[in-house]
Amino acid sequence: MQTRTLGRTGRTVSVIGLGTWQLGADWGEIAEADALAVLDAAREAGVTFFDTADVYGDGRSEALIGRWLRANPDSGVTVATKMGRRMPQEQDNYSLANFRAWTDRSRANLGVDTLDLVQLHCPPTSVYSDDRISDALDTLVTDGAIANYGVSVERVEEALTAIARPHVASVQIILNAFRLKPLDEVLPAAAAAGVGIIARVPLASGLLSGRYTSDTIFAANDHRSFNRHGESFDVGETFSGVDYETGVRAAAEFTAIARDAAPSASAAQLALAWVAAQPGVSSVIPGARSPQQARANAAAGSLSLPPTVDAAVHELYDREIRPSVHARW
């Protein structure tokens, strides 16, 4: 497993981390024992970075990680959580008082005195440039409630604004073979500023695994059923905003690219390795619903790619994904 420095936190983390949204909600049911087994398998495979949020299952994801941390006190895992979506998305709700309440709840869920990294959870665009909010976050650092803070963003412009802030340690952004826009400006700007990049939705909600067809049916409580058009939250979080039929067709081509480039690896592993290979990426955070998935994802952290892959990814994106996304939105 390769390791990287997570931006201004100075922490060393595995290049393949673990996203834990699915341990809380919105990806179908997962039993507590199964969730803990996923955390075990990820750590055993070399993963040292877990990403969660206070709203994943209304704190269930955090609480499960907290239980795991108590059972594994010497794990060396860095845990990033998020806050800001427990109230209406209005700038005035991003206050020191609410930050204290939210971080106190997360500290209790995770069973820690100081949170390793807290990220504002895709807040309104105006929040990123608000000095009052940055001052409140700095106060939490001074008080010892959090060690570092960053942001999770939806748009390139938000990422660039956050990167320019002096104490933002990391930016989390959607980046995968079906979402290339951050490569042009965000990654170079983050690298120049020493800000870490956490790449989320790296498999485009599973499309890039090549396992889904037009006939695949997702559970009713899976966001891949109920948020395909952004009905519940930003559409980019579901299939990276790509029309499902287009995504399935393009994923079949991506699987062929993977088969030619790395016959011993899966399409999902090649997709993760491609994201990890992008200059400036600190950690890639795929989710996993089983120990087998967690181990397979982690194996991508030691996969080397032939130079032909990057060109093939860009060609597929320009031919299939870019026109579809532009036409849809």
Side-chain angles (χ1 to χ4, degrees), residues 88-111:
Q89 292 300 286
E90 300 168 3
Q91 187 166 347
D92 287 346
N93 287 334
Y94 287 78
S95 66
L96 179 58
N98 285 335
F99 288 171
R100 289 194 194 281
W102 297 335
T103 54
D104 284 349
R105 185 177 187 270
S106 291
R107 290 192 294 162
N109 282 340
L110 290 165

Side-chain angles (χ1 to χ4, degrees), residues 6-182:
L6 182 55
R8 291 171 175 158
T9 72
R11 292 170 175 264
T12 299
V13 297
S14 55
V15 72
I16 302 296
L18 177 68
T20 63
W21 181 11
Q22 76 288 349
L23 304 188
D26 297 328
W27 292 81
E29 297 298 325
I30 181 167
E32 184 171 308
D34 294 334
L36 294 171
V38 166
L39 298 175
D40 281 336
R43 183 63 192 93
E44 289 164 5
V47 171
T48 60
F49 182 61
F50 294 166
D51 178 83
T52 185
D54 60 1
V55 291
Y56 292 168
D58 194 26
R60 182 178 191 249
S61 176
E62 286 184 332
L64 287 168
I65 292 172
R67 177 175 168 183
W68 186 88
L69 290 173
R70 288 189 291 276
N72 298 271
D74 301 318
S75 67
V77 169
T78 292
V79 178
T81 191
K82 307 182 199 74
M83 67 177 182
R85 303 196 73 84
R86 303 193 64 77
M87 297 179 72
Q89 292 300 286
E90 300 168 3
Q91 187 166 347
D92 287 346
N93 287 334
Y94 287 78
S95 66
L96 179 58
N98 285 335
F99 288 171
R100 289 194 194 281
W102 297 335
T103 54
D104 284 349
R105 185 177 187 270
S106 291
R107 290 192 294 162
N109 282 340
L110 290 165
V112 299
D113 294 326
T114 302
L115 299 170
D116 297 336
L117 174 66
V118 172
Q119 304 156 97
L120 298 183
H121 199 169
C122 300
T125 300
S126 57
V127 165
Y128 297 97
S129 56
D130 190 330
D131 291 341
R132 176 186 59 87
I133 292 170
S134 295
D135 290 344
L137 292 167
D138 288 336
T139 297
L140 293 182
V141 174
T142 301
D143 291 348
I146 67 176
N148 304 276
Y149 63 84
V151 297
S152 183
V153 307
E154 299 289 2
R155 293 188 284 276
V156 162
E157 295 76 16
E158 294 168 343
L160 294 173
T161 300
I163 289 167
R165 306 296 296 186
H167 299 148
V168 167
S170 62
V171 168
Q172 184 175 140
I173 193 167
I174 298 172
L175 175 61
N176 58 56
F178 290 172
R179 178 72 73 92
L180 304 189
K181 195 172 181 181

Side-chain angles (χ1 to χ4, degrees), residues 212-217 244-245 248:
Y212 303 142
T213 70
S214 298
D215 298 325
T216 300
I217 297 175
Y244 183 70
E245 295 297 330
V248 167

Side-chain angles (χ1 to χ4, degrees), residues 178 180-181 184 242 246 314 316-328:
F178 290 172
L180 304 189
K181 195 172 181 181
D184 296 333
V242 177
T246 299
H314 281 265
L316 175 59
Y317 177 84
D318 289 339
R319 176 167 45 84
E320 292 289 343
I321 302 302
R322 189 195 300 272
S324 171
V325 171
H326 284 185
R328 190 181 191 198

